[in-house]
Amino acid sequence: EPFNNDSYDSKIYFLIKNKEIIYIGQTLNLSKRSEQHKRKDFDNISFITCEKSKANDIESFYIGKFTPALNKNMPKNDVYES
């Protein structure tokens, strides 16, 4: 049962304002992390679940694809090169 494994605990989340992705991040605890973003002006949040070992690559892929206005730093990995 691979989905009962702790390696699938990471979430890539998308803060959305007026149907536009304004921020992308990753977390192990989505409810706690969304509380930390209270100052950001967003009206919706969406997420996908992934393996912890792939979280940086997946997060970077989506940041590169959508270029959210509030993302200033990229995770270190092979997918994104500044």
Side-chain angles (χ1 to χ4, degrees), residues 18-82:
N18 298 324
K19 298 182 181 178
E20 180 181 341
I21 296 171
I22 60 167
Y23 184 82
I24 298 172
Q26 64 175 285
T27 187
L28 299 174
N29 185 330
L30 189 58
S31 59
K32 182 178 179 181
R33 188 67 178 127
S34 63
E35 278 295 310
Q36 295 170 340
H37 284 304
K38 285 192 333 191
R39 285 189 244 152
K40 290 183 172 72
D41 185 20
F42 65 97
D43 54 30
N44 201 354
I45 188 167
S46 185
F47 71 93
I48 59 172
T49 302
C50 67
E51 295 178 44
K52 290 177 192 176
S53 64
K54 297 183 178 175
N56 281 350
D57 289 342
I58 294 170
E59 179 187 18
S60 289
F61 169 79
Y62 284 113
I63 291 171
K65 179 176 174 126
F66 294 108
T67 59
L70 300 180
N71 281 96
K72 294 177 175 49
N73 297 319
M74 295 292 292
K76 292 181 182 359
N77 59 35
D78 297 332
V79 174
Y80 178 83
E81 295 180 20
S82 51

